[in-house]
């Protein structure tokens, strides 16, 4: 999961340098470096789950890191912006293994509220990395050029290959191994699609992922080149927002066993929608450019609240699918990532020099996610139970 966060947030400070190097005239086009990565990341997830259900989690995860490493190398020697975009797709394909298999490994070992607690801790790693990744990217730029940013990604991949090769055991239960065949995959996908809870919470998770991706894709323009012009302070502002998310996931991991996944996630999502509406009002009141402190406060509140929903939605979606955890995690990961990348692209590409696209995106996608959750639970929100 750290690879994914590093691959996105580490690159943001290098956008101006890459724009100058490749002669990109439209700043919004640089956001493709985020969204094209997410497309490769999303599509590749379809394959990792079935492969890991057949061959095990460990060898497939190590192979995925090797692909990611190759993508880093291709990016470092990119002679054109189009080549760089292609390298980002390869990076996304490799990083997808971590997304699928980390979730499948947790599902192999845990269930119910315990799984939600562990997923929160994993999500915290995913969210802590953005606190330091832009600073690392900025430091790499000081060393020479944007190429060094990909050196840091390559170093992380190398460390993880060594670590997992040495320390990670196989977690797939022998009785859950499935033959790698289209029939077996189709059967698992059919089971997943026929599970209302899985489809509903995965859809809500995808919509909320769209909020995150819309913010990340336009963050460099909002905080640096297009609106607030923070310059070297951009990593600090980005890290403060990420810190709010990290704090929320830690709190969630501590209290979810007692309060339950549904209570926490439904409350977090409901408040997220309200704060999203407040972001819209704030943007309108200041003609699209509220004071930085007010914008950071509203944004941090919403990132804090969304972190009570996303890890719990992930756990709730996989809760009834333990026997096909790998394929289910793969298919649901593909679905939520592609949905999130599409929604995030709409938000990010709408950047017009104001904070309104982010606020409108948060409020709209949040309200839609809440409606999907209400459909999933047949209108009975906040209910608990042994499994949630």
């Amino acid at each position: 999961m750290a690879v994914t966060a590093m691959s996105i947030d580490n690159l943001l400070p290098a956008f101006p340098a890459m724009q100058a190097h490749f002669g990109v005239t439209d700043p919004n086009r640089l956001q493709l470096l985020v969204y094209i990565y997410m497309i490769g990341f999303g599509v590749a997830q379809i394959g990792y789950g079935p492969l890991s259900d057949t061959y095990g989690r460990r060898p497939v995860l190590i192979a995925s890191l090797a692909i990611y490493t190759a993508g880093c190398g291709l990016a470092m020697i990119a002679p054109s912006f189009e080549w760089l975009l292609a390298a980002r797709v390869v990076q996304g394909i490799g990083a997808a293994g971590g997304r699928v298999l980390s979730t499948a490994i947790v599902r192999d070992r845990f269930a119910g509220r315990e799984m939600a607690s562990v997923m929160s801790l994993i999500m915290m790693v995913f969210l802590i990395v953005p606190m330091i990744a832009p600073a690392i990217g900025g430091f790499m730029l000081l060393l020479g050029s944007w190429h060094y940013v990909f050196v840091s990604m390559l170093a992380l991949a190398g460390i993880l290959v060594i670590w997992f090769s040495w320390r990670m055991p196989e977690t797939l239960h022998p009785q859950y191994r499935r033959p790698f065949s289209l029939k077996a995959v189709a059967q698992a996908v059919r089971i997943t699609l026929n599970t209302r809870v899985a489809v509903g919470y995965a859809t809500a998770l995808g919509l909320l992922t769209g909020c995150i991706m819309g913010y990340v894709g336009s963050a460099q323009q909002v905080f640096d080149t297009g609106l607030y012009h923070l310059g070297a302070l951009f990593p600090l502002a980005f890290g403060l927002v990420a810190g709010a998310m990290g704090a929320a996931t830690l709190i969630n991991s501590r209290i979810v066993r007692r309060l339950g996944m549904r209570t926490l996630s439904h409350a977090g999502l409901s408040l997220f929608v309200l704060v999203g509406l407040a972001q819209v009002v704030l943007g309108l009141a200041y003609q699209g450019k509220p004071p930085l402190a007010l914008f950071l406060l509203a944004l941090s509140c919403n990132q804090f609240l969304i972190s009570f929903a996303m890890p719990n939605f992930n756990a709730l979606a996989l809760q009834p699918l333990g026997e096909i955890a790998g394929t289910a995690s793969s298919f649901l990961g593909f679905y939520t990532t592609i949905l999130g990348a599409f929604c995030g692209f709409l938000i990010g590409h709408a950047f017009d020099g104001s904070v309104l696209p982010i606020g409108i995106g948060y409020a709209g996608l949040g309200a839609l996610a809440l409606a999907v959750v209400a459909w999933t639970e047949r209108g009975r929100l906040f209910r608990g139970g042994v499994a949630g």
Side-chain angles (χ1 to χ4, degrees):
M1 297 292 278
V3 168
T4 301
M6 188 78 164
S7 300
I8 297 173
D9 305 321
N10 197 25
L11 199 62
L12 299 180
F15 275 14
M18 288 186 289
Q19 181 180 2
H21 180 87
F22 293 114
V24 179
T25 56
D26 182 6
N28 280 0
R29 191 163 180 250
L30 292 168
Q31 296 179 14
L32 290 175
L33 292 169
V34 174
Y35 301 121
I36 203 75
Y37 169 90
M38 292 302 295
I39 291 175
F41 180 77
V43 172
Q45 292 182 49
I46 296 176
Y48 284 116
L51 286 171
S52 73
D53 280 344
T54 300
Y55 300 108
R57 316 300 189 207
R58 186 174 182 273
V60 176
L61 180 56
I62 293 173
S64 73
L65 288 171
I67 296 172
Y68 176 82
T69 300
C72 293
L74 290 171
M76 289 166 60
I77 61 172
S80 66
F81 188 68
E82 289 71 23
W83 178 299
L84 184 59
L85 290 175
R88 290 290 286 169
V89 174
V90 176
Q91 278 191 294
I93 291 171
R99 163 62 177 83
V100 172
L101 295 169
S102 61
T103 305
I105 288 168
V106 172
R107 185 60 188 87
D108 288 340
R109 301 290 299 274
F110 306 98
R113 297 181 181 184
E114 188 72 18
M115 179 185 175
S117 177
V118 176
M119 284 304 303
S120 291
L121 294 175
I122 292 176
M123 185 66 72
M124 186 173 66
V125 174
F126 177 74
L127 297 173
I128 286 176
V129 171
M131 296 175 64
I132 60 174
I136 294 173
F139 177 73
M140 292 293 126
L141 288 173
L142 292 177
L143 294 180
S145 73
W146 59 266
H147 297 84
Y148 288 90
V149 175
F150 290 99
V151 172
S152 64
M153 299 181 196
L154 188 64
L156 176 61
I159 292 170
L160 290 176
V161 168
I162 295 171
W163 175 261
F164 284 122
S165 299
W166 178 39
R167 296 286 296 174
M168 192 183 83
E170 181 56 60
T171 62
L172 178 62
H173 301 296
Q175 65 268 30
Y176 288 166
R177 286 187 181 268
R178 300 168 62 87
F180 185 76
S181 68
L182 292 179
K183 182 179 179 180
V185 173
Q187 180 186 22
V189 171
R190 186 165 56 251
I191 292 171
T192 303
L193 290 175
N194 287 332
T195 305
R196 185 186 185 99
V197 169
V199 173
Y201 279 108
T203 300
L205 178 60
L207 293 170
L208 295 185
T209 301
C211 296
I212 299 296
M213 295 311 304
Y215 159 64
V216 170
S218 55
Q220 193 274 334
Q221 291 165 277
V222 170
F223 288 127
D224 190 3
T225 58
L227 189 55
Y228 290 109
H229 304 288
L230 294 182
L233 294 178
F234 162 56
L236 177 60
F238 195 85
L240 287 173
V241 177
M245 300 182 73
T249 55
L250 178 60
I251 295 170
N252 183 74
S253 71
R254 299 290 180 84
I255 64 177
V256 68
R257 293 184 182 92
R258 185 172 69 254
L259 299 181
M261 294 181 282
R262 286 178 169 85
T263 299
L264 283 173
S265 62
H266 297 174
L269 178 57
S270 299
L271 293 173
F272 174 84
V273 175
L274 293 178
V275 178
L277 292 172
Q279 279 185 261
V280 175
V281 172
L282 186 66
L284 291 172
Y286 287 94
Q287 292 78 49
K289 187 180 179 180
L292 178 62
L294 281 179
F295 176 65
L296 281 175
L297 178 62
L299 187 61
S300 297
C301 285
N302 245 346
Q303 302 299 83
F304 182 85
L305 293 168
I306 204 174
S307 300
F308 287 99
M310 293 181 71
N312 292 320
F313 284 179
N314 199 21
L316 285 165
L318 280 173
Q319 172 66 20
L321 302 171
E323 294 186 7
I324 53 169
T327 302
S329 174
S330 183
F331 177 73
L332 292 178
F334 155 75
Y335 172 55
T336 58
T337 301
I338 294 300
L339 178 59
F342 174 73
C343 293
F345 173 78
L346 294 180
I347 296 173
H349 204 65
F351 178 73
D352 57 358
S354 77
V355 302
L356 280 171
I358 293 178
I360 294 171
Y362 275 33
L365 293 180
L368 188 55
L370 185 59
V372 170
V373 170
W375 169 82
T376 303
E377 297 291 349
R378 304 181 191 278
R380 300 188 300 274
L381 299 180
F382 303 101
R383 64 185 180 87
V386 175

